[in-house]
Amino acid sequence: MTKRIGAAVAAAAASLALGLGTAGVADAKIHEEPISCSNPAGQQPGGQQPSCQNDTLTQESENQNPAGHAPGGHNK
């Protein structure tokens, strides 16, 4: 009888632990991040920040995960 009660308590504890283990999992979103600008000649202007400050520049970006890395297969 005590073995059955112990088994039931162990099973309940295991299911509770597994249920709580997934509650804190973050939802990692892939987002587009600006990486550089290029002018009409295809060159990067000197001193330019990653996001373009001029309408004649072309914004270049890549997909990144929250750690700032480009995941495989997600970039152009």
Side-chain angles (χ1 to χ4, degrees):
M1 182 75 172
T2 57
K3 286 185 180 183
R4 283 188 181 178
I5 294 173
V9 169
S15 66
L16 181 64
L18 290 175
L20 291 177
T22 59
V25 175
D27 189 15
K29 302 270 185 195
I30 304 299
H31 63 283
E32 197 169 285
E33 187 71 26
I35 55 171
S36 66
C37 290
S38 60
N39 59 23
Q43 304 295 319
Q44 289 185 349
Q48 185 67 42
Q49 298 298 318
S51 57
C52 296
Q53 305 295 322
N54 191 335
D55 291 340
T56 61
L57 300 174
T58 303
Q59 179 70 56
E60 297 178 25
S61 60
E62 72 178 7
N63 293 327
Q64 293 184 354
N65 59 22
H69 301 291
H74 280 271
N75 288 315
K76 301 175 193 174

